[in-house]
Every structure is written in C-alpha cells, then in structure tokens.
Amino acid sequence: MKLFSRIFEPTKNRRLNELVGFLLCVSALLLFLALISYSPLDPSLNSASVLTGSRAARNWVGIVGAYVSDILLQGFGLGAFLLTVFPGMLGIRWFRSRKVQAPLAKSLGAIWLLMFVP
C-alpha cells in the first residue's frame, strides 16, 4: 500500500517532480499519437502486413506505436483513449507538486471506467 501511495504523492524536490510530470505528460501524448494514427495496414502481433510490401509502419510513433495501438484498441476499444487521459492528469499534478486527494477512490473509479466504457 505504501508503494501505491507513493505514486500519487510528489516528492519534496520540485525539480524531480517537474521531470516526472513532464515524462508522464509526454508519454501520454505519445500514446495518444499512437492511437490516433492507428492503421490496420500496420504490422502487428495478429496480422501480416501484406498490402504494404515492407515492414514500415504508418503509425506516427513508429513500429512500437503500431504494436501498442493495435493491442490497446483490440483490448479496450475506443476506451483506450482514456489511457492517455489518466497519466496526463497525473503528470499535471506531479508537475505542479500537488498531491492527489483520495488516490484509492480515484484509482478504483479509473479502473471501473476502463472496464465499462468499452
């Protein structure tokens, strides 16, 4: 439980908090770009990209974005876009060095939202 609470509570070092918040926001942005530029012609784990003739991915994030977006869209559907909102909001809180109030309730709400939106 202590590790769980450390995720939602920034440190006393403001620069470290800004770095962690920035990295969370950038990763959320990269995930959003990977999901928005999904193409069924991209190579993935369950399809062969015969129509492209090469292993080049059309995804804006590259081959990693093609695989990640395919897995997330198959698993969560359009609810996968919520996976970009949660780390983005957490990153903003970390960037401002503000503690998340009621982290257990918000985490359970996010998990339920991810389960029931698809």
Side-chain angles (χ1 to χ4, degrees):
M1 190 70 174
K2 189 165 191 132
L3 177 66
F4 181 74
S5 66
R6 288 188 66 184
I7 295 171
F8 296 103
E9 189 174 327
T11 64
K12 296 182 191 296
N13 187 350
R14 185 165 172 80
R15 294 292 176 209
L16 179 63
N17 295 342
E18 289 175 355
L19 177 67
V20 170
F22 178 74
L23 291 176
L24 280 169
C25 288
V26 167
S27 64
L29 179 67
L30 282 174
L31 182 59
F32 178 75
L33 289 175
L35 289 172
I36 202 82
S37 65
Y38 168 76
S39 171
L41 299 176
D42 284 343
S44 65
L45 294 175
N46 62 348
S47 67
S49 177
V50 236
L51 298 176
T52 60
S54 68
R55 297 290 293 175
R58 297 170 186 203
N59 197 301
W60 295 343
V61 183
I63 192 77
V64 174
Y67 280 107
V68 168
S69 64
D70 180 59
I71 290 169
L72 289 178
L73 285 173
Q74 283 188 24
F76 293 106
L78 290 178
F81 285 95
L82 288 173
L83 292 173
T84 64
V85 174
F86 301 139
M89 292 175 70
L90 183 62
I92 291 171
R93 297 293 291 194
W94 268 82
F95 194 80
R96 294 181 177 177
S97 296
R98 295 193 180 174
K99 183 180 175 184
V100 175
Q101 303 297 324
L104 183 63
K106 289 186 180 179
S107 297
L108 286 176
I111 290 170
W112 285 0
L113 190 63
L114 277 175
M115 286 174 41
F116 293 117
V117 163

